[in-house]
Amino acid sequence: MLAYQGGKPVHLATVYDQNRQELKYDQISDNLKNAAIDGEDKRFWDHGGVDMTSLVRAGVGTVAGGGLGDSGGGSTLTMQLVRNIKMQQALELPTQEERLKAYNEATKVSVSRKLEEMKLAIGLAKKYPKKDILTGYLNIAFFGDQTYGVQAAAQRYFGKSATDLTPAEAASILAIVQSPNTRNLSDPKYYKANVARRDVILKSMYAQDHIDKKAFDEAIASDPKDYVHLTDPTQGCKAAAGNGSQFFCDYAVQVVKEMSQLGSTQKARDAAWRNGGYTIQTTLNLDLNNAQKDLINAYAPNTETRFKLGGVINSVEADTGRILTMAQNKNYNQLAACGSQGADPNACAPTTDTGLNLSVDQQYGGGEGFQTGSTFKPFTLLNWLQNGHGLGEIVNGTPRTYNSYPLCGSQSPTNYTPKNDSPGEGGNMTVENATYRSVNVSYINMAQKLDYCDIRKTAESLGVHRAAPRAPIAAFGDDMSKKSTQNLELYAGSVLGDNYIAPLTMAAAYAGIANNGTFCRPIAIDNVTDADGKSLGGQQKDCTQAIDPQVAATAIYALKKVLTIGTAPGGRTADGFDEFAKTGTTNEADQIWLIGATTKVATATWMGNIEGKQSLRFVYGPNGQYAGSRTQLWKQAQTIVNTQYPGGQFADPSPSAVRGNAIAVPNVQGQTPEAARAAITGAGLTYVDGGVQAGGGTPGTVSSTNPGAGLQLSRGSSVTVYTTDGSQASVPEVGGKKVDDARSTLSDAGFGNVGVADQYEKGDGKNECTVAAVEPGAGTAVAKDTGVTLKLYGTKGGKAPKDCR
């Protein structure tokens, strides 16, 4: 497997079906052959595959101990080879369910299984020479720590070839066979158990004259710490080059094994993969991935112990779908985590490690995904624009209860009271404002004017799907003929990002928006070359025009402000490239997202709970509050990408696309209710009687509307109309007037209760006895019987002049 570095193909990993390297008989150390025979099957060269003497002894032990095991159970090397072959065949079955069933069948402790092994062992012994059987056994046996065969074991534990092993090393390797998970040499805690069995084998080798007294004494006296030299595997994704590229490597292996270039059926593809010989050029950019791995480690350290913290960065090329990076905070380790269900307490992964690829779907080694929060809102925005609505339309963000929601052409009952992220947030606002401020209730209000099924179609056109399958639900329009589906679930709050989705999926969807609405499915393989050097091609570029370019441009126009005056202020990269983005926070703030893009590359950043519901707003990491650090995380991640993939300018949307088919609220102030109703309904809006309010003007005429005149609304939206009771008037401007003139002006406006303040303002010698101020202030609407106080100018010293009143 190859990746790119410095723009050129470089080695990423050498991947085998298993960590196994086969040797010929003459390439295997005599010490190993002798250790295998002396420790497991002393009469190997003499019997016909089954050793009746050992079986009789094992039978006695079985009656005494109540079970028939393999330790001292009379199993010859030939019988053990049979079992290992069956175990290997089980691992090659197509589904996990089939693999587990066959593996358990091959390893179960039972008389019937032992009898079957005996029968097949006799057949093997008749057909194959003893040397071939011994070689096959040593090449196939499992030696713990994901290591198969003596060559891989010798390299893993001793850093040398199985051709040249000392008696102690050979016996230590063969000591592992009966209990691979408790006697392997990957950790000093297993040394004691290994040495106990090793010494039994060494004594047998000495008794059979395969080592002399001096060699025996030296081997018995040796300490594993003196000859064990753990060596990282040179093959497999665990040994992948670069910083944190192992998860991408694992994903790419699974992808290429699905490609039609390897065969027309999955069975044929699996066989081709096992036979190997391929050179696979992946899309991974090691330079970018290395830097992003360091970055996610700094922002989401895998050493966090207060809760199970995960973090990823995924970057996808917009116009191709090529996956450029797949960085993750956890280290790659296929062992189960210590303390988790099914984990071997003697062989488990530390909390810094995981075998779970947090970036991808469950079928590719990921989990169930993560709730996306408000990063899902752009799909509602796109559907809003697709339906002719505009960014300037007014939506109400005040929290309230929704009794139903539009689902697939009908109203589905509910009792849903969404909350906004910020207390006190609400009121009328434009869709553009609701977008960059990420106001939840405003977006529910938008969804109420759409159809949830159409919103789902818009999201799915950009490749959005659940990370893990679920049972189909008829109400959601799912195909009931399918056993499971990855379709998005639909319910009242789903438009706020309640579905569990993989970060790579979201990165690719935003890349589609950035690419003028053309979505390209993620690809990891640029080319495959077979063993004969023939190019078979890579994953097909699969791009579709999912969103009209004008719709995409209009959505981007609103989403740009997220990085300037919205929920991620200061998020634009310092290099000046045109960028848009959206933040996402779950209700419990246990998942924190920021996804954005230039015209060239989209980058998704996520930090959150792998398990549990710890709020990231209340926990501080190396860069401050985890939730608050996402803006700088994304900014730095995208800056890394921009150095190699400089973006351009996004297209400006047309004024008509921004405006949509919105309707301006008519100005009906001062009109009769009947005239106002005619104007509002004639404009395509819905008239709502708001009743009488205290106000000025002619009683019974319109005093105001909500939303106000000139604001943009969707067709059919409600306009609440208020009429005045005429009880109020607006205090007129009387500043600079003489007292009598001011009283007259106020009387004409309906105010009869006018007084003069005892205190005077300092005058300039010319403005004595004129009005300096009025209380209530000019322009204030108050009841007509409200007392109005005039404050006058006095002398230069602020004294009362004569005859002012």
Side-chain angles (χ1 to χ4, degrees):
M1 299 187 73
L2 308 177
Y4 294 100
Q5 193 164 40
K8 298 179 180 179
V10 296
H11 179 264
L12 174 64
T14 300
V15 181
Y16 296 91
D17 186 52
Q18 292 180 341
N19 183 13
R20 183 200 311 282
Q21 297 179 51
E22 294 192 357
L23 297 179
K24 297 178 181 179
Y25 181 82
D26 292 339
Q27 294 175 308
I28 301 172
S29 163
D30 287 341
N31 284 325
L32 266 175
K33 300 170 193 172
N34 293 331
I37 294 170
D38 297 344
E40 298 292 321
D41 188 2
K42 293 182 180 65
R43 283 175 287 277
F44 172 74
W45 299 107
D46 301 320
H47 61 64
V50 175
D51 186 353
M52 297 308 299
T53 302
S54 295
L55 279 173
V56 169
R57 187 186 312 117
V60 173
T62 299
V63 173
L68 184 60
D70 286 316
S71 181
S75 288
T76 64
L77 290 177
T78 313
M79 292 168 65
Q80 291 183 48
L81 175 58
V82 167
R83 182 165 64 257
N84 276 290
I85 291 172
K86 282 187 165 290
M87 290 161 59
Q88 176 62 33
Q89 289 172 338
L91 295 175
E92 295 174 5
L93 292 173
T95 68
Q96 177 63 21
E97 183 180 358
E98 290 175 295
R99 288 192 291 270
L100 185 60
K101 181 180 179 181
Y103 192 89
N104 289 338
E105 181 66 27
T107 57
K108 72 179 180 180
V109 177
S110 70
V111 173
S112 60
R113 195 261 294 170
K114 181 74 76 172
L115 291 173
E116 182 184 26
E117 281 181 9
M118 292 167 58
K119 176 182 176 181
L120 293 172
I122 292 170
L124 276 180
K126 288 181 177 179
K127 186 172 182 179
Y128 295 99
K130 289 286 187 177
K131 288 184 177 181
D132 290 354
I133 292 173
L134 179 58
T135 304
Y137 169 78
L138 292 173
N139 278 326
I140 201 172
F142 178 51
F143 292 97
D145 200 29
Q146 299 177 296
T147 304
Y148 295 82
V150 290
Q151 176 70 346
Q155 291 176 339
R156 171 68 177 131
Y157 299 130
F158 309 131
K160 61 169 63 174
S161 171
T163 303
D164 184 24
L165 294 183
T166 67
E169 291 168 343
S172 285
I173 283 186
L174 266 298
I176 298 171
V177 171
Q178 291 181 358
S179 186
N181 291 328
T182 61
R183 293 182 188 162
N184 74 73
L185 298 168
S186 66
D187 193 295
K189 65 185 177 182
Y190 307 137
Y191 286 178
K192 183 178 180 180
N194 182 277
V195 166
R197 177 60 185 165
R198 177 202 73 178
D199 290 352
V200 171
I201 296 172
L202 286 170
K203 290 174 183 177
S204 182
M205 292 172 71
Y206 176 60
Q208 298 298 318
D209 294 328
H210 286 134
I211 54 175
D212 59 23
K213 184 68 165 61
K214 180 182 178 183
F216 171 73
D217 290 341
E218 289 177 353
I220 287 288
S222 63
D223 190 324
K225 68 181 177 62
D226 295 327
Y227 59 79
V228 172
H229 303 288
L230 282 180
T231 305
D232 287 335
T234 57
Q235 69 84 29
C237 285
K238 189 175 182 180
N243 182 15
S245 63
Q246 293 83 7
F247 288 102
F248 174 86
C249 173
D250 187 81
Y251 171 76
V253 166
Q254 295 179 71
V255 168
V256 77
K257 288 164 71 174
E258 295 178 345
M259 292 173 60
S260 60
Q261 289 93 324
L262 269 65
S264 58
T265 66
Q266 193 58 54
K267 183 177 181 180
R269 291 190 284 272
D270 289 342
W273 179 257
R274 285 195 296 274
N275 290 334
Y278 297 99
T279 299
I280 301 160
Q281 176 64 63
T282 72
T283 60
L284 186 70
N285 185 312
L286 279 177
D287 295 317
L288 302 185
N289 201 77
N290 291 347
Q292 287 189 356
K293 170 61 173 170
D294 287 340
L295 187 63
I296 196 63
N297 285 351
Y299 277 82
N302 59 31
T303 53
E304 173 65 69
T305 57
R306 291 166 291 182
F307 67 107
K308 295 185 177 180
L309 174 65
V312 303
I313 306 174
N314 292 162
S315 292
V316 175
E317 194 172 32
D319 59 354
T320 63
R322 296 172 69 251
I323 303 167
L324 302 177
T325 69
M326 188 180 285
Q328 178 169 315
N329 71 329
K330 296 289 188 179
N331 299 323
Y332 180 82
N333 195 326
Q334 289 300 311
L335 292 175
C338 297
S340 64
Q341 185 176 4
D344 184 342
N346 296 309
C348 54
T351 56
T352 55
D353 299 5
T354 184
L356 202 66
N357 187 339
L358 302 175
S359 296
V360 302
D361 291 350
Q362 190 177 75
Q363 72 183 96
Y364 294 109
E368 64 176 6
F370 307 97
Q371 289 186 318
T372 61
S374 294
T375 58
F376 193 86
K377 285 176 181 171
F379 309 123
T380 298
L381 176 62
L382 290 167
N383 190 250
W384 173 265
L385 298 169
Q386 286 172 326
N387 280 277
H389 296 287
L391 294 180
E393 289 186 38
I394 298 297
V395 286
N396 193 327
T398 302
R400 57 198 182 276
T401 298
Y402 292 87
N403 296 317
S404 64
Y405 64 102
L407 183 66
C408 303
S410 63
Q411 288 294 317
S412 183
T414 187
N415 187 24
Y416 178 53
T417 307
K419 298 179 180 179
N420 292 321
D421 195 48
S422 301
E425 192 173 42
N428 287 328
M429 64 190 71
T430 65
V431 168
E432 181 181 0
N433 188 287
T435 297
Y436 65 73
R437 288 171 54 196
S438 198
V439 182
N440 290 340
V441 180
S442 292
Y443 260 78
I444 293 293
N445 198 16
M446 291 164 61
Q448 291 287 315
K449 301 175 188 296
L450 304 170
D451 190 302
Y452 277 50
C453 293
D454 287 342
I455 295 171
R456 179 170 76 174
K457 288 178 182 177
T458 296
E460 290 178 343
S461 73
L462 290 163
V464 180
H465 57 273
R466 288 175 60 86
R470 60 171 173 80
I473 303 173
F476 299 158
D478 295 336
D479 183 353
M480 294 301 292
S481 67
K482 298 178 180 177
K483 292 183 178 180
S484 63
T485 176
Q486 288 181 268
N487 290 349
L488 301 173
E489 291 185 2
L490 298 181
Y491 39 84
S494 62
V495 294
L496 299 182
D498 287 350
N499 277 279
Y500 289 76
I501 302 170
L504 177 62
T505 298
M506 294 298 289
Y510 275 58
I513 299 172
N515 190 30
N516 296 311
T518 298
F519 168 68
C520 299
R521 297 194 178 279
I523 58 177
I525 311 300
D526 275 346
N527 190 48
V528 176
T529 304
D530 67 15
D532 297 324
K534 180 182 177 182
S535 174
L536 306 179
Q539 284 180 277
Q540 291 290 329
K541 182 179 175 181
D542 185 5
C543 302
T544 56
Q545 189 70 52
I547 306 296
D548 182 89
Q550 271 296 317
V551 169
T554 307
I556 290 170
Y557 177 81
L559 291 167
K560 284 183 184 182
K561 294 185 178 181
V562 170
L563 297 172
T564 54
I565 59 174
T567 52
R572 282 197 62 177
T573 58
D575 48 36
F577 292 118
D578 210 8
E579 294 161 343
F580 73 89
K582 186 69 190 74
T583 55
T585 307
T586 52
N587 288 340
E588 294 87 356
D590 60 314
Q591 314 295 342
I592 300 291
W593 298 71
L594 206 164
I595 312 173
T598 63
T599 58
K600 287 296 293 180
V601 175
T603 298
T605 59
W606 163 84
M607 292 185 290
N609 293 241
I610 300 174
E611 295 178 16
K613 293 287 184 180
Q614 170 63 54
S615 172
L616 271 66
R617 286 176 170 153
F618 303 134
V619 186
Y620 284 74
N623 294 278
Q625 180 198 66
Y626 278 121
S629 66
R630 65 176 160 196
T631 298
Q632 288 304 310
L633 171 62
W634 183 87
K635 182 178 182 178
Q636 292 181 51
Q638 189 65 37
T639 298
I640 291 167
V641 173
N642 290 351
T643 60
Q644 293 191 31
Y645 295 87
Q649 291 295 118
F650 287 110
D652 291 326
S654 67
S656 61
V658 174
R659 183 176 62 252
N661 57 15
I663 300 169
V665 177
N667 186 352
V668 293
Q669 187 174 13
Q671 295 183 11
T672 65
E674 291 75 18
R677 182 187 295 273
I680 289 170
T681 56
L685 303 171
T686 301
Y687 178 95
V688 177
D689 186 354
V692 179
Q693 291 183 331
T698 304
T701 60
V702 175
S703 58
S704 64
T705 62
N706 185 23
L711 294 180
Q712 303 290 313
L713 297 181
S714 307
R715 179 171 296 278
S717 295
S718 296
V719 178
T720 303
V721 178
Y722 302 97
T723 54
T724 179
D725 61 3
S727 64
Q728 293 184 340
S730 180
V731 177
E733 178 60 65
V734 293
K737 292 180 179 288
K738 294 290 186 179
V739 174
D740 288 343
D741 292 338
R743 288 181 185 273
S744 177
T745 300
L746 288 166
S747 178
D748 290 344
F751 297 99
N753 184 12
V754 180
V756 178
D758 294 332
Q759 300 294 322
Y760 289 81
E761 292 290 318
K762 291 182 179 181
D764 60 5
K766 299 179 181 180
N767 59 1
E768 291 181 5
C769 296
T770 62
V771 177
V774 62
E775 180 63 36
T780 305
V782 294
K784 294 177 180 178
D785 59 1
T786 300
V788 178
T789 301
L790 301 175
K791 192 167 187 179
L792 308 178
Y793 287 111
T795 65
K796 288 184 178 182
K799 303 293 185 180
K802 297 178 181 179
D803 303 326
C804 246
R805 299 174 187 270

